[in-house]
């Protein structure tokens, strides 16, 4: 799988690392039960701190996309990783755009709610 | 530019070694002839008991011919292969000559009248295996070529080489796995292991060494990690590195379709007739790394096009 981070970007590195995994899920190349490379491996490949990758993996676990087990590494557990990851990816992009434009979370929430009511 | 002759020298040395081992074994057998029984055991049953006997001359001639001819047949194959394969072939030839010599002559010279003859006497097992490994390793090291220097100018990446459209500040990496298909591998492992274990239990305990060795080899080959990053390409499994191509030695990367039997004569870490190195776990899509002044390295991974694009992008940045 492809890993890419841009250290010059405003988006924190761990968010970018997590985005790599989500993109892979959204494209259907990571399915339920697949194992992710170890955090150590990813840290070496991208030349980033191990904790950056661990933080990315933890956020993916908190979103219910993967499971972290001692000795077994990170395993994809989401029933529909594609769908979950697509939504997450879109939200990440919206929030990044909102930050860029100076929009607050309240502004975003209002926009999303109005979209639902259409 | 002078051609590195060491692979050829190593292969010639291994070709000379086989008859030398056969001659030494013969000399050793003649030296202890008085102490050997009149009829020598030359074949053993599953239970470890000898079931075929022959005269001294017959037994020694058979042992000498097998020790000399089998490795030489491999030398013949080695000469047909790409010259970069000569070093590894020399290692196999030399190791095989020593192993056959130790097994066949060890089984002859240890026989004594009135004692049960053993196929591979215990006192011969360890020296034979150690010497086999040493000779193979020595020939392999001797036959290694020094890759041509890459300092100074280098060819730019071919214009048609696939690459990623990302900002220059992006750090890129790619990870994948080359894994043997689980079910056929398990079936094959059982088919190979059962007779070996049977023979080992029935009366040839040294066969355990062979069975465990093959098992360990399979365990290491089962699945390899493939990484592409700013350091280049790395194929490794369980701490063992099969292949490492530093970025400065990569000319370009591409994809191809592999047929394991036709292109490499099997599965695992392979050298093709044309000198291509390959980590082949299945047929189909594979990443090919073209090296500067050396044979291509190939590894069977899914999404090989993506891996090739990452590698090309990194090469383009470095040149």
């Amino acid at each position: 799988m492809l890993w890419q981070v841009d250290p010059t970007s405003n988006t924190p590195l761990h968010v970018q690392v997590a985005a790599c995994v989500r993109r892979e899920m959204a494209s259907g190349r990571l399915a339920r039960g697949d194992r992710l490379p170890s955090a150590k491996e990813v840290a070496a490949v991208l030349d980033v701190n191990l904790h950056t990758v661990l933080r990315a993996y933890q956020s993916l676990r908190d979103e219910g996309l993967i499971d972290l087990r001692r000795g077994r590494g990170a395993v994809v557990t989401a029933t529909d990783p594609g769908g979950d990851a697509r939504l997450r990816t879109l939200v990440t992009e919206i929030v990044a755009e909102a930050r860029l434009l100076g929009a607050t979370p309240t502004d975003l929430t209002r926009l999303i709610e109005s979209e639902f009511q259409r | 530019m002078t051609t590195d002759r060491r692979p050829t020298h190593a292969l010639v040395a291994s070709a000379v070694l086989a008859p030398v081992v056969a001659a030494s074994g013969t000399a050793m057998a003649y030296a202890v002839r008085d102490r050997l029984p009149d009829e020598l055991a030359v074949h053993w049953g599953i239970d470890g008991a000898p079931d075929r006997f022959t005269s001294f001359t017959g037994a020694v001639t058979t042992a000498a011919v097998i020790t000399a001819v089998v490795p030489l047949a491999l030398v013949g194959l080695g000469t047909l292969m790409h010259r970069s394969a000569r070093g590894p072939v020399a290692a196999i030839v030399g190791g095989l000559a020593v192993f056959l010599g130790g097994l066949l002559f060890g089984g002859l010279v240890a026989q004594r009248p009135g004692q049960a003859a053993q196929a591979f006497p215990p006192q011969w097992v360890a020296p034979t295996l150690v010497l086999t490994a040493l000779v193979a390793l020595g020939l392999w090291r001797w036959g290694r070529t020094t890759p041509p220097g890459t300092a100074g100018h280098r060819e730019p990446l071919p214009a048609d080489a696939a690459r990623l459209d990302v900002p220059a500040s992006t750090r890129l990496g790619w990870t994948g796995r080359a894994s043997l298909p689980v079910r056929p591998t398990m079936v094959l492992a059982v088919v190979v292991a059962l007779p070996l274990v049977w023979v080992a239990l029935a009366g040839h305990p040294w066969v355990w060494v062979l069975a465990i060795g093959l098992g360990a080899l399979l365990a290491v080959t089962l699945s390899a990690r493939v990484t592409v990053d700013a350091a280049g390409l790395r194929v490794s499994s369980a701490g063992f590195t099969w292949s490492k191509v530093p970025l400065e030695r990569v000319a370009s990367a591409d994809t191809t379709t592999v047929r394991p039997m036709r292109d490499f004569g099997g599965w695992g870490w392979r050298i093709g007739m044309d000198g291509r190195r390959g980590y082949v776990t299945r047929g189909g899509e594979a990443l090919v790394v073209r090296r500067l002044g050396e044979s291509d390295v190939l590894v069977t991974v899914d999404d090989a096009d993506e891996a090739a694009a990452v590698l090309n992008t990194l090469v383009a940045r470095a040149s």
Side-chain angles (χ1 to χ4, degrees):
Chain A
M1 65 178 287
L2 173 68
W3 299 92
Q4 52 177 338
V5 294
D6 189 348
T8 63
S9 148
N10 286 328
T11 316
L13 280 177
H14 67 92
V15 174
Q16 295 188 46
V17 172
C20 293
V21 178
R22 275 193 224 104
R23 193 188 40 234
E24 205 74 4
M25 288 174 172
S27 70
R29 291 200 274 199
L30 269 181
R32 187 181 165 87
D34 282 353
R35 211 185 301 179
L36 295 180
S38 73
K40 209 172 128 190
E41 212 181 323
V42 178
V45 158
L46 286 174
D47 192 20
V48 297
N49 196 294
L50 176 65
H51 295 285
T52 307
V53 184
L54 286 174
R55 209 169 150 192
Y57 276 15
Q58 275 153 14
S59 64
L60 291 167
R61 180 194 56 194
D62 295 345
E63 291 162 23
L65 293 173
I66 65 168
D67 193 8
L68 294 174
R69 275 173 238 164
R70 194 173 279 276
R72 275 207 67 203
V75 182
V76 178
T77 48
T79 33
D80 176 19
D84 290 1
R86 263 197 301 282
L87 266 185
R88 273 283 168 181
T89 307
L90 288 172
V91 170
T92 312
E93 279 169 8
I94 289 173
V95 171
E97 196 65 24
R99 279 213 182 95
L100 205 70
L101 298 170
T104 64
T106 327
D107 295 339
L108 263 190
T109 317
R110 207 174 297 141
L111 274 172
I112 291 170
E113 277 169 357
S114 71
E115 186 65 30
F116 265 116
Q117 279 151 16
R118 283 219 311 198
Chain B
M1 200 180 94
T2 56
T3 319
D4 199 336
R5 309 274 303 158
R6 281 180 303 173
T8 312
H9 291 166
L11 188 61
V12 170
S14 73
V16 173
L17 183 68
V20 167
V21 172
S24 316
T26 308
M28 186 173 61
Y30 271 97
V32 297
R33 186 175 186 174
D34 301 341
R35 285 186 271 160
L36 301 183
D38 296 333
E39 289 280 279
L40 289 170
V42 288
H43 191 269
W44 284 263
I46 285 294
D47 57 355
D51 58 8
R52 208 159 70 219
F53 298 85
T54 188
S55 69
F56 175 82
T57 322
V60 170
T61 310
T62 310
V65 168
I66 294 175
T67 305
V69 169
V70 176
L72 283 181
L74 278 179
V75 173
L77 176 70
T79 56
L80 296 177
M81 291 176 75
H82 187 262
R83 47 180 305 279
S84 71
R86 286 174 194 168
V89 171
I92 295 170
V93 169
L96 187 65
V98 172
F99 179 75
L100 287 174
L103 173 68
L104 297 174
F105 286 103
L108 289 185
V109 300
Q111 298 185 30
R112 294 290 176 269
Q115 285 178 21
Q118 287 171 295
F120 198 7
Q123 69 269 31
W124 278 86
V125 176
T128 301
L129 293 182
V130 169
L131 204 60
T132 299
L134 285 179
V135 166
L137 204 65
L139 285 167
W140 175 72
R141 287 195 65 122
W142 186 12
R144 268 198 308 185
T145 46
T146 333
T150 52
H153 76 288
R154 65 168 291 167
E155 295 283 311
L157 188 74
D160 60 343
R163 58 194 101 179
L164 298 173
D165 182 23
V166 290
S169 55
T170 312
R171 283 188 206 159
L172 285 173
W174 190 90
T175 57
R177 287 199 93 90
S179 306
L180 287 167
V182 178
R183 207 163 299 171
T185 309
M186 294 314 269
V187 171
L188 187 74
V190 170
V191 166
V192 173
L194 275 182
L196 282 181
V197 170
W198 186 40
V199 172
L201 286 174
H204 297 272
W206 65 273
V207 174
W208 281 120
V209 179
L210 192 65
I212 291 167
L214 284 176
L217 186 68
L218 179 68
V220 176
T221 314
L222 221 46
S223 179
R225 269 195 296 274
V226 182
T227 56
V228 171
D229 58 17
L233 168 82
R234 208 165 92 96
V235 183
S236 60
S237 42
F240 184 84
T241 302
W242 296 101
S243 183
K244 203 170 167 182
V245 186
L247 196 65
E248 60 268 24
R249 302 216 61 88
V250 177
S252 67
D254 201 354
T255 62
T256 190
T257 307
V258 167
R259 294 152 303 178
M261 276 318 278
R262 262 184 86 161
D263 298 342
F264 288 95
W267 291 259
W269 176 244
R270 298 259 140 191
I271 303 180
M273 293 293 276
D274 52 3
R276 285 196 300 179
R277 267 57 174 169
Y279 193 84
V280 182
T281 55
R282 53 157 177 74
E285 189 184 8
L287 166 70
V288 191
V289 177
R290 309 204 186 287
R291 294 188 287 179
L292 294 164
E294 287 178 281
S295 326
D296 298 350
V297 173
L298 182 154
V299 53
T300 51
V301 285
D302 295 340
D303 305 320
D305 50 343
E306 196 180 60
V310 171
L311 200 49
N312 284 332
T313 310
L314 291 167
V315 169
R317 277 183 193 172
S319 56

